[in-house]
Amino acid sequence: ISFVGYQKLRIVIGEFENDKTYALAQDTRELDAVSVIAKPEKFKLKTFMRKAIKDFNSSKNGDSHIAYTHYREGATKDGKPIMYIESIGYSIFLSNKGWAPYANYKFISEETRAYADHPAWTTYGINVSGKPANGVHSSGSTILRAYRVLENKGLFSSGNFKKYSFKLDSSYTESNHEILVVNFKSGFDKGKIYVNGDNYQIQKMFYSSKYYWSNPFYKNIRAAISLSFSYKEGVPYIASGSSQYTQDGLTHINQLQVILQKDAILDLDDKSVGVINNYGNNPLISYNEDFWKENQFTFAEPWCTNCSNFELNTMTEYFQSSHNNKLIPSDKPLSVKESDHYKIIQALINQFK
């Protein structure tokens, strides 16, 4: 005979007496501490990613803003270097209404060293209009454009989020925060995104997209892209980016990193926005040898993999020859309109400083 809280009583059946009362002795032993553990809620990765992207988008700076930025691009043809451009300037986000969604995040140069007149490079200029040209548009804005694609039709687009699948890859600890590494995939891009598991802040991402704009081929092609983000009082900004692709023997690499994110809110009229758009494609090159000697800019990410590079310290003569010329040179003198545009750009650069 047993009962909770009492000692068991054992009676031999043959000795059992019908009229006898049997009493159970109380068990005075203490029970061990009892722990009640709630069943953990199942982690829902897609819900986590939806919140991370929603928080990112709702925290962005929607006003026009600028950042002091370092950019470079290079190209090799069949492994041999044929082009190099490096600039210090400004990446500019423009909130003006009515402009194409991919045309409102631009880079304009202030100081540039460029070697972009190798015949193997300039021949790609024919892809713009079908006619031979003296060069190729600057790709200083293409990483910024890739970010805008991400916002409008990629992973950061709320309307296209449902097209993505997610899989947890791994996690690690950084500055006492758990960072989740998540694989993502859709019909046109796939990669990894790194998200702070505690505050949902997106740190960086590495992915492949078929909607990367190539100026040499003048169309969207597939490229490997990386983006990283910094946060200023909870507001996310692009910190750095890179891209690389190889097509028909041409390897084209772009790198961009922000030196200083500025707080100033810009108020630019539509004329200035239009000038910035045009100037970014074919800038007037300003080369100051002393500037590049005095300022040793470096990139956090390495240069291209498995390709040769220029020895920049031997190229001063090339850089000097491009000074005060348009990136895509012309036999004609600057028109009154072009001169006016360059004055507007210079005034804007002075304002940005």
Side-chain angles (χ1 to χ4, degrees):
I1 302 171
S2 65
F3 193 80
V4 175
Y6 293 86
Q7 297 179 16
K8 289 182 180 180
L9 178 63
R10 297 180 181 277
I11 304 171
V12 179
I13 297 298
E15 299 176 354
F16 184 79
E17 300 178 18
N18 291 332
D19 297 331
K20 185 176 180 179
T21 299
Y22 294 90
L24 298 179
Q26 189 172 1
D27 192 346
T28 58
R29 291 177 300 176
E30 293 184 359
L31 294 174
D32 293 336
V34 178
S35 298
V36 179
I37 301 174
K39 184 178 180 181
E41 184 178 349
K42 184 178 180 181
F43 178 67
K44 297 179 180 178
L45 183 58
K46 193 153 190 173
T47 300
F48 171 82
M49 286 305 305
R50 182 180 285 108
K51 177 170 174 51
I53 292 170
K54 183 179 179 181
D55 287 358
F56 183 94
N57 288 333
S58 63
S59 301
K60 289 185 302 187
N61 184 354
D63 296 319
S64 295
H65 56 267
I66 63 172
Y68 194 46
T69 302
H70 183 198
Y71 139 81
R72 68 177 173 178
E73 65 173 302
T76 63
K77 181 68 174 181
D78 298 324
K80 298 179 180 179
I82 60 171
M83 180 275 291
Y84 183 85
I85 304 172
E86 183 176 9
S87 295
I88 297 295
Y90 299 89
S91 53
I92 310 169
F93 174 77
L94 303 160
S95 62
N96 298 54
K97 306 297 182 182
W99 292 90
Y102 305 149
N104 63 350
Y105 211 166
K106 291 291 183 178
F107 173 83
I108 61 171
S109 59
E110 182 179 359
E111 291 289 343
T112 299
R113 49 184 178 180
Y115 171 66
D117 59 358
H118 192 293
W121 175 250
T122 59
T123 188
Y124 288 97
I126 197 172
N127 291 325
V128 177
S129 63
K131 299 178 181 180
N134 293 326
V136 178
H137 287 168
S138 166
S139 294
S141 301
T142 53
I143 291 172
L144 302 174
R145 186 183 190 277
Y147 170 68
R148 292 293 288 141
V149 171
L150 196 69
E151 290 182 307
N152 283 271
K153 67 186 305 179
L155 180 60
F156 289 4
S157 165
S158 58
N160 291 317
F161 178 82
K162 61 184 178 182
K163 298 178 181 179
Y164 283 84
S165 60
F166 301 94
K167 184 178 181 180
L168 186 62
D169 179 275
S170 58
S171 66
Y172 61 93
T173 301
E174 184 178 271
S175 301
N176 295 322
H177 291 285
E178 183 182 25
I179 307 299
L180 302 185
V181 184
V182 180
N183 293 323
F184 65 90
K185 184 178 182 181
S186 75
F188 72 88
D189 62 358
K190 62 180 179 179
K192 296 181 186 296
I193 186 167
Y194 294 65
V195 186
N196 189 314
D198 299 322
N199 59 23
Y200 295 90
Q201 287 185 348
I202 296 172
Q203 307 294 309
K204 58 186 176 180
M205 55 195 302
F206 303 88
Y207 65 105
S208 169
S209 171
K210 69 178 183 181
Y211 285 112
Y212 181 80
W213 182 257
S214 162
N215 276 322
F217 294 100
Y218 212 68
K219 63 180 181 179
N220 284 313
I221 64 173
R222 183 169 289 282
I225 305 168
S226 72
L227 291 170
S228 70
F229 304 97
S230 61
Y231 288 79
K232 197 169 187 179
E233 297 180 354
V235 179
Y237 294 97
I238 291 178
S240 65
S242 67
S243 66
Q244 181 171 336
Y245 63 84
T246 299
Q247 183 154 314
D248 299 335
L250 178 74
T251 296
H252 188 200
I253 312 103
N254 281 271
Q255 288 185 314
L256 178 145
Q257 71 179 12
V258 168
I259 300 172
L260 176 65
Q261 181 66 49
K262 292 181 173 283
D263 289 325
I265 297 175
L266 300 179
D267 184 14
L268 301 177
D269 57 32
D270 281 349
K271 181 178 180 180
S272 297
V273 174
V275 170
I276 288 171
N277 267 289
N278 292 327
Y279 180 82
N281 291 329
N282 190 18
L284 187 67
I285 295 172
S286 174
Y287 174 70
N288 183 331
E289 183 179 356
D290 291 338
F291 173 86
W292 291 101
K293 286 182 177 179
E294 294 168 3
N295 297 278
Q296 300 296 318
F297 298 100
T298 58
F299 280 85
E301 297 296 326
W303 191 229
C304 60
T305 55
N306 300 321
C307 65
S308 303
N309 198 7
F310 288 110
E311 294 294 334
L312 299 181
N313 58 352
T314 67
M315 298 181 65
T316 301
E317 183 179 343
Y318 289 111
F319 298 150
Q320 289 174 336
S321 67
S322 65
H323 173 65
N324 216 29
N325 290 319
K326 292 188 292 185
L327 179 63
I328 304 176
S330 173
D331 297 331
K332 299 178 182 179
L334 292 179
S335 66
V336 174
K337 183 178 180 180
E338 286 177 321
S339 297
D340 180 49
H341 285 181
Y342 290 137
K343 289 177 182 177
I344 292 174
I345 289 295
Q346 191 56 55
L348 286 172
I349 289 175
N350 291 335
Q351 175 187 339
F352 297 159
K353 289 181 180 179

